[in-house]
Amino acid sequence: MGADPRGHGEAKDLLEPKGIRVSVLRKQEYDPDIGELLGTGYDDHAAAVTSTAAELHRAGIEHRLGFQTEIGHRLADGYVQRADLVVRAPEAGVPVMLLEIDRRTEDAHDLVAKLRRYWEWGRLLPKDAGKHTVDLVRSRPDAIEHVDHEQRLWRRVYPPTGREGLVPVAFVFADTTEEKVANTVAVLEEAGRRYWAPRRYESYYREAITAKDYGQAVPVVVTTLEQLQEHGADAAVWRRLGRTGEQTLTVALDNPDGDVLFRDQEARADAEEKQRRVAEREAQRPVCKRCGRKFTDQRWEETTAHRTAWSAGDVSVVRHLLCRRRRP
């Protein structure tokens, strides 16, 4: 399926008022016989980009002036990764999202490379980063993971996402088959796992924690232009890599098994650990063999202060320090 007339007609309305580089999305058309320039129009990819923007706009995901195209993200080696579309819709729960529109003209591994580059860009420091931070990052490859996102370059460009991790990326497939989409998504999930997948939390209560750490991951969602046009961008047409089934965009971007769950599980595990320690201590509390009463904390402390080592229930200790005091 090519771009529909609706996508063509809304190109100017959605993109040009912002001063976007719409010209780079146009192609020149010439008469095949005389070579005369017939005019300029939007090619199929550009039409797919504007149609995607139109569907997001219809669903209330950003206002008509909130879209940007061909936004560059410069990497450390100088390579510039350009996003087909950038959308910001804080009122819709999507502060920022980068979109790649693919008509299956690119190999699936090329899309993995794009994902890798967005991940790398999200790990860069700004040029004016403090010397201590720069030295820390240079000291070892993964040191950037200990640098808060607020100190990274991407936060100079985009607002906080409101969720863990880096800037979300969406792949929107157009003019292709379900089989090709499924194959491409399978490659993205497998070959791109390092970039989108969460990790296990490092915690003292490791066995009690099922929550996942999304802090260094790029949230990735996928859909098709055909689904957006048929059901709407606010429908359950988005699939998050690593999950099964389709969800609405905000639900797909949320992390119900992320940091909120981690804090709850760690607090619960901490409370259970304290209860266990209290129970263990109570099991060791001395008991007077004469009267059967347990030592108070004060008496227990006094007992341990009088002896460097003793066994709970030692008759001589108990009689000397407790029972003897009760004699008239």
Side-chain angles (χ1 to χ4, degrees):
M1 166 182 133
D4 61 15
R6 185 173 56 182
H8 284 281
E10 294 185 347
K12 285 188 177 181
D13 291 339
L14 286 171
L15 301 179
E16 286 189 342
K18 191 87 171 182
I20 306 306
R21 298 173 57 201
V22 180
S23 60
V24 304
L25 302 179
R26 295 181 182 273
K27 68 175 182 179
Q28 295 181 326
E29 298 178 347
Y30 295 88
D31 184 291
D33 297 322
I34 62 176
E36 181 179 343
L37 179 64
L38 299 177
T40 60
Y42 291 94
D43 64 17
D44 289 338
H45 178 264
V49 171
T50 55
S51 292
T52 299
E55 296 305 327
L56 292 170
H57 173 54
R58 283 194 191 88
I61 302 175
E62 193 47 278
H63 54 78
R64 61 181 292 171
L65 302 184
F67 299 98
Q68 293 177 294
T69 61
E70 293 293 302
I71 299 302
H73 303 81
R74 186 176 297 277
L75 301 177
D77 61 3
Y79 184 91
V80 178
Q81 176 62 55
R82 295 189 179 278
D84 289 330
L85 188 66
V86 176
V87 59
R88 305 187 195 199
E91 71 286 348
V94 187
V96 60
M97 184 169 65
L98 313 180
L99 290 95
E100 290 291 333
I101 316 303
D102 178 35
R103 299 181 60 250
R104 290 308 296 119
T105 57
E106 295 183 82
D107 182 80
H109 289 280
D110 291 335
L111 301 186
V112 173
K114 285 186 176 183
L115 175 58
R116 171 181 57 79
R117 288 192 285 266
Y118 285 126
W119 178 78
E120 290 176 344
W121 183 76
R123 294 163 68 88
L124 293 179
L125 293 174
K127 291 183 178 180
D128 60 352
K131 183 179 184 302
H132 173 75
T133 303
V134 172
D135 292 342
L136 173 66
V137 171
R138 286 176 178 173
S139 65
R140 59 185 190 275
D142 294 334
I144 185 64
E145 297 178 3
H146 301 284
V147 177
D148 188 82
H149 288 279
E150 291 296 322
Q151 301 180 52
R152 301 191 195 181
L153 173 63
W154 78 266
R155 282 294 287 109
R156 301 285 185 88
V157 181
Y158 296 120
T161 66
R163 303 172 176 88
E164 310 100 297
L166 303 173
V167 180
V169 173
F171 289 97
V172 179
F173 302 101
D175 307 328
T176 187
T177 65
E178 292 183 5
E179 182 180 4
K180 288 183 178 179
V181 171
N183 292 338
T184 301
V185 172
V187 173
L188 278 170
E189 284 193 313
E190 183 61 31
R193 179 170 298 274
R194 178 183 181 186
Y195 315 119
W196 63 260
R199 307 173 184 179
R200 291 198 63 174
Y201 271 103
E202 294 296 329
S203 172
Y204 174 78
Y205 309 109
R206 186 176 179 86
E207 297 303 320
I209 303 299
T210 61
K212 299 175 182 178
D213 183 0
Y214 291 87
Q216 306 304 320
V218 176
V220 180
V221 294
V222 299
T223 190
T224 67
L225 179 56
E226 289 76 11
Q227 285 180 298
L228 296 180
Q229 292 175 331
E230 180 178 357
H231 304 289
D234 56 347
V237 296
W238 304 86
R239 182 193 159 193
R240 174 82 171 261
L241 292 193
R243 301 179 188 173
T244 58
E246 295 173 329
Q247 302 172 304
T248 61
L249 180 57
T250 52
V251 172
L253 291 175
D254 285 341
N255 302 311
D257 57 347
D259 63 345
V260 173
L261 178 61
F262 171 70
R263 290 195 296 270
D264 290 344
Q265 289 182 331
E266 191 169 52
R268 190 180 307 115
D270 186 58
E272 292 175 353
E273 175 68 11
K274 289 179 179 178
Q275 291 177 353
R276 184 187 64 79
R277 291 177 180 176
V278 169
E280 288 181 350
R281 186 172 188 274
E282 285 303 310
Q284 297 172 359
R285 185 181 293 274
V287 176
C288 175
K289 287 190 175 182
R290 184 172 184 178
C291 68
R293 298 180 61 182
K294 289 185 176 182
F295 278 26
T296 63
D297 287 343
Q298 179 180 358
R299 185 61 62 214
W300 195 358
E301 291 176 3
E302 290 176 355
T303 302
T304 56
H306 280 80
R307 293 176 59 90
T308 57
W310 66 288
S311 300
D314 187 318
V315 176
S316 63
V317 174
V318 174
R319 287 180 177 173
H320 178 71
L321 293 177
L322 180 62
C323 298
R324 188 182 63 179
R325 297 188 179 191
R326 296 183 178 178
R327 296 173 183 173

